[in-house]
Amino acid sequence: MAGSRFVTADLHVHTRLGPGESTKGTKPTPAAVVAAARAAGVEVVGIADHNTAANVDEAVALGGPDILVMPGVEVSTSDGHVVGLFDPARTGELKSFAEASNLKLKVVGAD
């Protein structure tokens, strides 16, 4: 295949955002994720926090010719988690999809 090549990718990375995620520095910022990926030679990184797309614009803006940042969301279900990655040019659709009311999220212990 003309133009085809293998790339180094990590398509399931979390930042500090999302219900249940720590904000005390145990999970990195989008800038730290992208910087670490660059340093490791990763060419595609998928950032998907649990049940939120709050940082997708920041994350996508950190991409460049050397690294593609794929924005996403990891949706919690009763059977496990599903990672959905989106086109970096369509973060508006991702944010609409990831709204709590659309995902029908329920806070555990709120009943």
Side-chain angles (χ1 to χ4, degrees):
M1 286 188 256
S4 296
R5 68 180 182 89
F6 287 100
V7 298
T8 304
D10 188 340
L11 301 177
H12 187 180
V13 179
H14 295 285
T15 70
R16 63 179 184 208
L17 298 181
E21 301 291 350
S22 172
T23 58
K24 299 202 186 302
T26 59
K27 300 239 184 228
T29 64
V33 168
V34 175
R38 274 193 173 101
V42 173
E43 298 169 83
V44 181
V45 63
I47 298 178
D49 289 311
H50 287 268
N51 306 312
T52 184
N55 69 4
V56 297
D57 291 320
E58 175 187 356
V60 168
L62 296 165
D66 61 327
I67 189 166
L68 173 64
V69 177
M70 300 289 301
V73 62
E74 182 169 354
V75 179
S76 300
T77 74
S78 59
D79 293 321
H81 299 150
V82 178
V83 175
L85 298 175
F86 283 67
D87 179 338
R90 302 180 90 156
T91 58
E93 291 178 26
L94 169 55
K95 289 187 283 187
S96 292
F97 170 78
E99 290 178 0
S101 60
N102 187 41
L103 295 179
K104 297 181 174 66
L105 297 177
K106 180 172 89 173
V107 177
V108 176
D111 295 331

XYZ file of all heavy atoms in Angstrom:
780
model
N 0.841 -1.184 0.000
C 0.000 0.000 0.000
C 0.883 1.243 0.000
O 1.674 1.437 0.912
C -0.892 0.029 1.226
C -2.034 -0.949 1.202
S -3.148 -0.641 2.593
C -2.673 -2.004 3.637
N 0.726 2.043 -0.990
C 1.493 3.284 -1.078
C 1.089 4.232 0.048
O -0.085 4.465 0.287
C 1.272 3.948 -2.423
N 2.072 4.768 0.735
C 1.796 5.743 1.782
C 1.459 5.154 3.135
O 1.352 5.878 4.108
N 1.298 3.856 3.223
C 0.980 3.233 4.509
C 2.247 3.067 5.335
O 3.323 2.828 4.803
C 0.346 1.862 4.306
O -0.882 1.989 3.641
N 2.087 3.198 6.648
C 3.205 2.952 7.554
C 2.657 2.681 8.937
O 1.531 3.048 9.264
C 4.172 4.124 7.571
C 3.619 5.400 8.190
C 4.657 6.530 8.159
N 4.166 7.728 8.778
C 4.268 8.035 10.072
N 4.874 7.199 10.891
N 3.793 9.160 10.553
N 3.447 2.039 9.749
C 3.071 1.807 11.133
C 3.386 3.056 11.944
O 4.350 3.762 11.664
C 3.838 0.616 11.716
C 3.354 -0.700 11.193
C 4.036 -1.349 10.186
C 2.209 -1.283 11.712
C 3.594 -2.562 9.697
C 1.755 -2.493 11.230
C 2.457 -3.139 10.216
N 2.544 3.326 12.948
C 2.793 4.435 13.868
C 2.701 3.904 15.291
O 2.062 2.885 15.555
C 1.784 5.600 13.682
C 1.896 6.193 12.296
C 0.367 5.175 13.975
N 3.332 4.610 16.187
C 3.235 4.290 17.603
C 2.048 5.051 18.166
O 1.950 6.265 17.994
C 4.519 4.706 18.347
O 5.621 4.071 17.716
C 4.457 4.301 19.797
N 1.127 4.316 18.810
C -0.094 4.949 19.318
C -0.446 4.409 20.696
O -0.170 3.258 21.018
C -1.255 4.692 18.355
N -1.053 5.259 21.492
C -1.669 4.871 22.761
C -3.061 5.486 22.742
O -3.217 6.697 22.837
C -0.860 5.388 23.951
C -1.374 4.832 25.283
O -2.543 4.379 25.326
O -0.621 4.868 26.263
N -4.075 4.651 22.583
C -5.434 5.135 22.353
C -6.328 5.102 23.595
O -7.544 5.245 23.486
C -6.085 4.335 21.225
C -5.346 4.408 19.887
C -6.034 3.533 18.859
C -5.243 5.843 19.404
N -5.727 4.936 24.773
C -6.543 4.881 25.994
C -5.751 5.492 27.147
O -5.156 4.793 27.963
C -6.926 3.438 26.301
C -7.889 3.306 27.421
N -8.362 2.094 27.845
C -8.482 4.217 28.224
C -9.192 2.250 28.853
N -9.277 3.544 29.109
N -5.755 6.813 27.199
C -5.024 7.550 28.225
C -6.003 8.433 28.989
O -6.904 9.029 28.399
C -3.917 8.427 27.591
C -3.175 9.215 28.641
C -2.958 7.562 26.787
N -5.818 8.523 30.312
C -6.658 9.365 31.156
C -5.889 10.585 31.641
O -4.681 10.547 31.820
C -7.130 8.600 32.398
C -8.019 7.450 32.089
N -9.327 7.609 31.724
C -7.777 6.127 32.075
C -9.855 6.418 31.509
N -8.933 5.507 31.708
N -6.628 11.657 31.885
C -6.087 12.803 32.596
C -6.759 12.824 33.959
O -7.439 11.870 34.348
C -6.335 14.131 31.848
O -7.720 14.454 31.898
C -5.853 14.065 30.405
N -6.635 13.919 34.648
C -7.178 14.011 36.015
C -8.669 14.288 36.053
O -9.240 14.423 37.126
C -6.438 15.093 36.774
C -6.654 16.445 36.133
C -5.948 17.528 36.868
N -6.338 18.758 36.180
C -5.624 19.820 36.130
N -4.483 19.869 36.729
N -6.047 20.874 35.485
N -9.332 14.420 34.907
C -10.750 14.769 34.893
C -11.640 13.537 34.956
O -11.239 12.444 34.626
C -11.090 15.564 33.632
C -10.381 16.901 33.491
C -10.835 17.589 32.220
C -10.632 17.798 34.683
N -12.879 13.778 35.344
C -13.875 12.724 35.331
C -14.297 12.323 36.723
O -13.516 12.418 37.667
N -15.553 11.879 36.877
C -16.044 11.456 38.184
C -15.145 10.374 38.773
O -14.788 9.421 38.101
C -17.438 10.913 37.878
C -17.827 11.579 36.604
C -16.546 11.760 35.837
N -14.743 10.572 39.997
C -13.907 9.587 40.664
C -12.423 9.748 40.395
O -11.614 9.072 41.005
N -12.039 10.623 39.473
C -10.625 10.831 39.196
C -10.062 11.808 40.216
O -10.716 12.756 40.605
C -10.420 11.386 37.778
C -10.967 10.508 36.678
C -10.210 9.205 36.484
O -9.126 9.032 37.067
O -10.713 8.354 35.752
N -8.849 11.592 40.598
C -8.198 12.456 41.574
C -7.768 13.765 40.932
O -7.352 13.790 39.786
C -6.970 11.759 42.148
O -6.240 12.642 42.954
N -7.876 14.851 41.659
C -7.361 16.133 41.181
C -6.104 16.513 41.950
O -5.628 17.619 41.845
C -8.416 17.246 41.354
O -8.780 17.324 42.736
C -9.632 16.993 40.501
N -5.555 15.597 42.702
C -4.398 15.882 43.535
C -3.082 15.494 42.866
O -2.100 15.240 43.550
C -4.540 15.189 44.870
C -5.753 15.663 45.643
C -5.596 15.407 47.105
C -6.787 15.703 47.911
N -7.433 16.816 48.037
N -3.054 15.417 41.555
C -1.800 15.194 40.866
C -1.463 13.753 40.541
O -0.431 13.490 39.957
N -2.320 12.796 40.904
C -2.013 11.412 40.576
C -2.283 11.107 39.115
O -1.751 10.160 38.576
C -2.799 10.426 41.454
O -4.195 10.669 41.273
C -2.435 10.577 42.916
N -3.107 11.894 38.495
C -3.356 11.771 37.057
C -2.901 13.074 36.411
O -3.121 14.151 36.933
C -4.832 11.533 36.783
C -5.352 10.266 37.425
C -5.900 9.353 36.399
C -6.497 8.144 37.067
N -6.082 6.930 36.462
N -2.282 13.016 35.263
C -1.692 14.214 34.658
C -2.698 15.100 33.921
O -3.792 14.678 33.585
C -0.683 13.633 33.678
C -1.258 12.307 33.306
C -1.958 11.800 34.550
N -2.266 16.305 33.662
C -3.030 17.238 32.846
C -2.927 16.815 31.383
O -2.035 16.033 31.020
C -2.463 18.656 32.984
O -1.132 18.645 32.455
C -2.468 19.126 34.425
N -3.808 17.337 30.507
C -3.658 17.048 29.082
C -2.274 17.440 28.554
O -1.675 16.704 27.761
C -4.768 17.883 28.432
C -5.817 17.971 29.494
C -5.041 18.078 30.785
N -1.747 18.579 29.005
C -0.416 19.012 28.553
C 0.654 17.998 28.957
O 1.560 17.690 28.167
C -0.095 20.389 29.121
N 0.560 17.465 30.167
C 1.534 16.469 30.616
C 1.413 15.169 29.826
O 2.420 14.533 29.502
C 1.364 16.213 32.112
N 0.181 14.759 29.500
C -0.031 13.547 28.704
C 0.614 13.703 27.333
O 1.355 12.824 26.868
C -1.534 13.225 28.553
C -1.772 12.160 27.492
C -2.121 12.786 29.882
N 0.337 14.810 26.673
C 0.871 15.022 25.325
C 2.389 15.167 25.361
O 3.094 14.615 24.511
C 0.185 16.218 24.638
C 0.822 16.520 23.290
C -1.309 15.935 24.464
N 2.920 15.855 26.361
C 4.373 16.004 26.485
C 5.043 14.639 26.684
O 6.078 14.349 26.072
C 4.716 16.945 27.628
N 4.451 13.807 27.535
C 5.011 12.474 27.770
C 4.938 11.612 26.515
O 5.873 10.860 26.203
C 4.282 11.792 28.929
N 3.823 11.721 25.786
C 3.688 10.967 24.536
C 4.746 11.404 23.530
O 5.388 10.569 22.887
C 2.284 11.155 23.957
N 4.925 12.710 23.393
C 5.973 13.220 22.491
C 7.351 12.687 22.886
O 8.118 12.241 22.043
C 5.997 14.745 22.521
C 5.060 15.412 21.586
C 5.377 16.909 21.444
N 4.545 17.461 20.399
C 3.437 18.163 20.606
N 3.051 18.443 21.845
N 2.728 18.604 19.597
N 7.652 12.766 24.167
C 8.962 12.328 24.654
C 9.192 10.839 24.392
O 10.325 10.404 24.180
C 9.099 12.637 26.143
N 8.115 10.061 24.385
C 8.214 8.622 24.159
C 8.138 8.253 22.677
O 8.186 7.074 22.332
C 7.103 7.907 24.932
N 7.963 9.249 21.822
C 7.881 8.970 20.395
C 6.522 8.488 19.922
O 6.378 7.963 18.824
N 5.494 8.677 20.751
C 4.129 8.294 20.370
C 3.618 9.302 19.352
O 3.761 10.501 19.532
C 3.212 8.240 21.620
C 1.769 8.006 21.234
C 3.700 7.155 22.572
N 3.015 8.808 18.273
C 2.543 9.677 17.201
C 1.037 9.921 17.229
O 0.550 10.870 16.634
C 2.930 9.080 15.843
C 4.440 8.968 15.660
C 4.797 8.151 14.453
O 4.797 8.728 13.339
O 5.056 6.939 14.619
N 0.301 9.047 17.923
C -1.153 9.198 18.075
C -1.495 8.888 19.523
O -1.128 7.824 20.034
C -1.937 8.244 17.147
C -3.439 8.445 17.316
C -1.529 8.417 15.696
N -2.199 9.810 20.178
C -2.615 9.577 21.557
C -4.112 9.856 21.673
O -4.600 10.871 21.194
C -1.791 10.419 22.566
C -1.968 11.902 22.366
C -2.101 10.034 23.992
N -4.829 8.900 22.261
C -6.263 9.055 22.489
C -6.504 9.365 23.956
O -6.175 8.553 24.827
N -7.028 10.547 24.222
C -7.302 10.968 25.599
C -8.789 10.809 25.860
O -9.612 11.467 25.227
C -6.836 12.414 25.842
C -5.314 12.504 25.649
C -7.255 12.885 27.231
C -4.743 13.894 25.806
N -9.125 9.890 26.781
C -10.530 9.568 27.053
C -10.742 9.457 28.552
O -10.404 8.442 29.162
C -10.910 8.259 26.368
N -11.280 10.504 29.150
C -11.573 10.489 30.575
C -12.937 9.851 30.823
O -13.770 9.764 29.926
C -11.535 11.907 31.139
C -10.118 12.451 31.188
O -9.233 11.732 31.701
O -9.895 13.567 30.722
N -13.146 9.427 32.057
C -14.401 8.775 32.417
C -15.564 9.767 32.394
O -15.583 10.730 33.156
C -14.311 8.153 33.817
C -13.461 6.931 33.848
N -13.971 5.672 33.682
C -12.122 6.783 33.994
C -12.987 4.792 33.740
N -11.849 5.437 33.929
N -16.515 9.535 31.495
C -17.808 10.224 31.460
C -17.716 11.745 31.348
O -18.614 12.444 31.808
C -18.644 9.834 32.687
C -18.775 8.337 32.799
O -19.086 7.660 31.830
N -18.507 7.804 33.968
N -16.663 12.255 30.745
C -16.543 13.693 30.533
C -15.672 13.963 29.312
O -14.761 13.193 29.005
C -15.958 14.421 31.758
O -15.965 15.824 31.499
C -14.556 13.969 32.085
N -15.992 15.044 28.659
C -15.172 15.519 27.545
C -14.756 16.958 27.814
O -14.523 17.738 26.898
C -15.960 15.412 26.239
N -14.647 17.307 29.074
C -14.396 18.693 29.472
C -13.060 19.235 28.996
O -12.910 20.437 28.840
C -14.493 18.820 30.992
N -12.085 18.371 28.750
C -10.763 18.874 28.374
C -10.406 18.654 26.910
O -9.267 18.856 26.524
C -9.686 18.240 29.261
C -9.527 16.763 28.974
O -10.148 16.220 28.073
N -8.693 16.097 29.732
N -11.357 18.264 26.087
C -11.010 17.868 24.721
C -10.443 19.012 23.885
O -9.515 18.795 23.107
C -12.187 17.191 23.985
C -12.569 15.895 24.677
C -13.383 18.097 23.839
N -10.963 20.208 24.028
C -10.431 21.323 23.244
C -8.984 21.617 23.622
O -8.128 21.827 22.751
C -11.298 22.578 23.402
C -12.661 22.411 22.749
O -12.730 21.819 21.655
O -13.658 22.860 23.340
N -8.705 21.615 24.926
C -7.330 21.820 25.390
C -6.415 20.723 24.849
O -5.316 20.994 24.352
C -7.285 21.816 26.918
C -5.882 21.914 27.489
C -5.819 21.737 29.003
O -6.866 21.614 29.660
O -4.684 21.718 29.510
N -6.861 19.484 24.938
C -6.039 18.357 24.493
C -5.755 18.417 22.995
O -4.608 18.270 22.566
C -6.729 17.042 24.855
N -6.785 18.657 22.195
C -6.612 18.706 20.739
C -5.675 19.839 20.334
O -4.847 19.683 19.433
C -7.986 18.821 20.033
C -7.829 19.169 18.562
C -8.760 17.520 20.193
N -5.764 20.970 21.025
C -4.912 22.119 20.707
C -3.427 21.811 20.926
O -2.566 22.477 20.349
C -5.324 23.331 21.541
N -3.127 20.813 21.722
C -1.743 20.446 22.010
C -1.120 19.577 20.927
O 0.087 19.352 20.923
C -1.671 19.720 23.357
C -2.065 20.570 24.559
C -2.317 19.680 25.776
C -0.999 21.604 24.850
N -1.946 19.090 20.024
C -1.438 18.275 18.932
C -0.655 19.129 17.939
O -0.606 20.349 18.050
N -0.048 18.476 16.991
C 0.727 19.183 15.980
C 1.142 18.218 14.889
O 0.656 17.089 14.834
N 2.054 18.634 14.028
C 2.460 17.759 12.930
C 3.163 16.479 13.399
O 3.185 15.484 12.684
C 3.406 18.625 12.100
C 3.745 19.800 12.936
C 2.690 19.932 13.989
N 3.695 16.496 14.618
C 4.403 15.329 15.141
C 3.521 14.381 15.946
O 3.917 13.252 16.224
C 5.576 15.783 16.012
C 5.122 16.611 17.213
O 4.110 17.340 17.088
O 5.779 16.546 18.265
N 2.327 14.836 16.343
C 1.452 13.996 17.163
C -0.013 14.340 16.918
O -0.395 15.508 16.899
C 1.804 14.118 18.668
C 1.045 13.066 19.494
C 1.567 15.515 19.187
C 1.575 12.906 20.912
N -0.810 13.313 16.705
C -2.252 13.466 16.541
C -2.916 13.161 17.874
O -2.703 12.085 18.450
C -2.772 12.498 15.477
C -4.288 12.420 15.309
C -4.858 13.751 14.819
C -4.653 11.287 14.359
N -3.675 14.114 18.388
C -4.417 13.913 19.635
C -5.866 13.593 19.270
O -6.555 14.408 18.670
C -4.339 15.161 20.549
C -5.178 14.948 21.804
C -2.889 15.464 20.907
N -6.287 12.377 19.623
C -7.659 11.931 19.378
C -8.472 12.171 20.649
O -8.205 11.551 21.680
C -7.692 10.437 19.037
C -6.913 10.051 17.802
S -7.667 10.599 16.282
C -9.242 9.806 16.338
N -9.460 13.056 20.597
C -10.287 13.302 21.781
C -11.319 12.194 21.948
O -11.810 11.637 20.968
C -10.965 14.634 21.451
C -11.089 14.614 19.958
C -9.858 13.899 19.463
N -11.620 11.880 23.195
C -12.594 10.826 23.421
C -13.235 10.903 24.779
O -13.053 11.852 25.537
N -13.989 9.868 25.074
C -14.653 9.723 26.368
C -14.717 8.230 26.670
O -14.877 7.407 25.770
C -16.067 10.352 26.361
C -16.988 9.688 25.361
C -16.686 10.345 27.754
N -14.528 7.884 27.934
C -14.716 6.502 28.361
C -16.030 6.446 29.128
O -16.145 6.998 30.226
C -13.565 6.021 29.245
C -13.733 4.569 29.642
C -12.494 3.967 30.283
O -11.437 4.629 30.324
O -12.602 2.826 30.751
N -17.019 5.816 28.524
C -18.369 5.763 29.091
C -18.474 4.569 30.034
O -18.163 3.438 29.659
C -19.429 5.650 27.972
C -20.831 5.580 28.558
C -19.302 6.822 27.004
N -18.913 4.845 31.256
C -19.144 3.779 32.237
C -20.518 3.169 31.999
O -21.505 3.888 31.854
C -19.084 4.343 33.658
O -17.824 4.909 33.914
N -20.564 1.854 31.937
C -21.828 1.146 31.780
C -21.954 0.127 32.898
O -21.000 -0.129 33.629
C -21.917 0.412 30.420
O -21.076 -0.754 30.469
C -21.512 1.308 29.268
N -23.110 -0.485 33.012
C -23.299 -1.511 34.045
C -22.474 -2.761 33.741
O -22.244 -3.582 34.622
C -24.780 -1.867 34.167
O -25.255 -2.350 32.923
N -22.007 -2.902 32.506
C -21.220 -4.072 32.108
C -19.735 -3.776 31.945
O -18.973 -4.646 31.543
C -21.762 -4.647 30.800
C -23.144 -5.238 30.963
O -23.401 -5.865 32.006
O -23.966 -5.064 30.051
N -19.317 -2.548 32.191
C -17.915 -2.183 32.010
C -17.799 -0.813 31.383
O -18.697 0.005 31.519
N -16.703 -0.589 30.697
C -16.438 0.715 30.090
C -16.287 0.584 28.588
O -15.810 -0.427 28.093
C -15.159 1.325 30.663
C -15.221 1.561 32.129
N -14.120 1.506 32.934
C -16.260 1.846 32.949
C -14.464 1.756 34.182
N -15.765 1.954 34.210
N -16.688 1.644 27.869
C -16.550 1.709 26.422
C -15.807 2.996 26.085
O -16.225 4.077 26.499
C -17.930 1.709 25.724
C -17.764 1.835 24.210
C -18.720 0.469 26.085
N -14.717 2.875 25.347
C -13.951 4.043 24.926
C -14.411 4.448 23.537
O -14.441 3.623 22.617
C -12.432 3.750 24.917
C -11.654 4.933 24.349
C -11.946 3.421 26.315
N -14.777 5.719 23.407
C -15.147 6.272 22.104
C -14.190 7.392 21.748
O -14.015 8.332 22.529
N -13.541 7.281 20.597
C -12.632 8.324 20.122
C -13.281 9.048 18.959
O -13.987 8.430 18.155
C -11.291 7.722 19.696
C -10.510 7.028 20.806
C -9.257 6.361 20.250
C -10.152 8.006 21.910
N -13.035 10.355 18.860
C -13.680 11.192 17.865
C -12.648 11.896 16.993
O -11.479 12.027 17.364
C -14.556 12.251 18.559
C -15.864 11.726 19.079
C -15.914 10.816 20.120
C -17.055 12.147 18.517
C -17.115 10.337 20.605
C -18.280 11.680 18.994
C -18.306 10.768 20.038
N -13.099 12.366 15.857
C -12.304 13.193 14.963
C -11.924 14.468 15.717
O -12.794 15.130 16.291
C -13.161 13.525 13.732
C -12.481 14.406 12.719
O -11.533 15.137 13.041
O -12.926 14.372 11.554
N -10.645 14.852 15.722
C -10.247 16.070 16.437
C -10.959 17.332 15.956
O -11.079 18.292 16.719
C -8.739 16.167 16.167
C -8.321 14.782 15.847
C -9.498 14.139 15.169
N -11.460 17.327 14.745
C -12.174 18.494 14.217
C -13.637 18.520 14.642
O -14.355 19.464 14.328
C -12.083 18.507 12.689
N -14.086 17.498 15.387
C -15.499 17.409 15.756
C -15.692 17.323 17.267
O -16.527 16.566 17.770
C -16.126 16.213 15.060
C -15.984 16.335 13.531
C -16.576 15.197 12.835
N -17.970 15.528 12.563
C -18.676 14.979 11.601
N -18.148 14.083 10.822
N -19.929 15.329 11.427
N -14.951 18.133 17.996
C -15.054 18.096 19.454
C -16.428 18.544 19.947
O -16.873 18.111 21.000
C -13.960 18.944 20.127
O -14.060 20.284 19.670
C -12.577 18.379 19.845
N -17.102 19.393 19.187
C -18.459 19.812 19.573
C -19.401 18.631 19.647
O -20.215 18.530 20.577
N -19.305 17.721 18.685
C -20.148 16.524 18.700
C -19.791 15.620 19.874
O -20.677 15.050 20.522
C -20.012 15.771 17.382
C -20.617 16.511 16.212
C -20.426 15.784 14.905
O -20.280 14.537 14.912
O -20.427 16.456 13.865
N -18.509 15.506 20.152
C -18.087 14.706 21.304
C -18.638 15.288 22.597
O -19.186 14.563 23.429
C -16.555 14.627 21.365
C -15.939 14.061 22.649
C -16.473 12.687 22.995
C -14.429 14.052 22.540
N -18.522 16.611 22.765
C -19.017 17.238 23.999
C -20.528 17.077 24.132
O -21.031 16.841 25.234
C -18.593 18.699 24.059
C -17.085 18.846 24.299
C -16.661 20.268 24.518
C -16.605 21.012 23.224
N -16.030 22.360 23.346
N -21.259 17.161 23.024
C -22.712 16.936 23.075
C -23.023 15.498 23.478
O -23.900 15.244 24.301
C -23.345 17.232 21.721
O -23.275 18.605 21.438
N -22.279 14.564 22.906
C -22.471 13.152 23.226
C -22.199 12.882 24.705
O -22.902 12.117 25.348
C -21.545 12.285 22.367
C -21.501 10.844 22.793
C -22.525 9.977 22.449
C -20.446 10.360 23.546
C -22.492 8.647 22.860
C -20.401 9.044 23.957
C -21.427 8.179 23.609
N -21.160 13.527 25.245
C -20.696 13.224 26.601
C -21.420 13.993 27.699
O -21.020 13.914 28.860
C -19.194 13.480 26.696
N -22.478 14.719 27.377
C -23.246 15.399 28.422
C -23.852 14.367 29.364
O -24.329 13.321 28.942
C -24.368 16.239 27.804
C -23.868 17.455 27.067
C -24.993 18.237 26.420
O -26.168 17.839 26.542
O -24.676 19.246 25.777
N -23.822 14.664 30.650
C -24.318 13.722 31.652
C -25.755 13.286 31.367
O -26.100 12.123 31.544
C -24.206 14.325 33.047
N -26.593 14.225 30.921
C -27.992 13.867 30.661
C -28.097 12.908 29.478
O -28.960 12.030 29.463
C -28.820 15.120 30.404
O -28.315 15.822 29.272
N -27.223 13.044 28.502
C -27.235 12.135 27.350
C -26.726 10.745 27.757
O -27.250 9.742 27.301
C -26.369 12.698 26.216
C -26.486 11.882 24.956
O -27.573 11.447 24.591
N -25.374 11.673 24.289
N -25.714 10.710 28.610
C -25.163 9.429 29.042
C -26.012 8.774 30.127
O -25.778 7.644 30.508
C -23.729 9.618 29.562
C -22.705 10.077 28.534
C -21.343 10.235 29.189
C -22.634 9.139 27.350
N -26.994 9.542 30.644
C -27.884 9.034 31.707
C -27.068 8.549 32.898
O -27.307 7.470 33.437
C -28.809 7.967 31.169
C -29.752 8.477 30.094
C -30.666 7.385 29.606
C -31.698 7.873 28.666
N -31.283 8.378 27.403
N -26.107 9.371 33.301
C -25.242 9.003 34.409
C -25.985 9.095 35.733
O -26.818 9.952 35.933
C -24.013 9.928 34.463
C -23.102 9.842 33.260
C -21.973 10.858 33.406
C -22.525 8.445 33.114
N -25.668 8.181 36.600
C -26.250 8.157 37.932
C -25.095 8.115 38.920
O -24.192 7.285 38.803
C -27.140 6.918 38.092
C -27.795 6.787 39.431
C -28.795 5.655 39.445
C -28.147 4.378 39.835
N -29.077 3.264 40.024
N -25.114 8.998 39.893
C -24.077 9.020 40.906
C -24.321 7.861 41.862
O -25.408 7.729 42.425
C -24.052 10.367 41.657
C -23.002 10.332 42.753
C -23.804 11.508 40.695
N -23.313 7.021 42.043
C -23.435 5.877 42.938
C -23.639 6.384 44.360
O -22.954 7.282 44.827
C -22.174 4.998 42.864
C -22.249 3.856 43.855
C -21.988 4.464 41.449
N -24.618 5.827 45.049
C -24.906 6.209 46.413
C -25.865 7.395 46.528
O -26.159 7.847 47.615
N -26.360 7.896 45.383
C -27.262 9.056 45.409
C -28.703 8.655 45.637
O -29.549 9.491 45.857
C -27.138 9.840 44.108
N -28.984 7.365 45.556
C -30.377 6.903 45.740
C -30.782 6.863 47.190
O -30.077 6.670 48.084
C -30.544 5.501 45.138
C -30.353 5.529 43.632
O -30.648 6.572 43.016
O -29.912 4.503 43.096
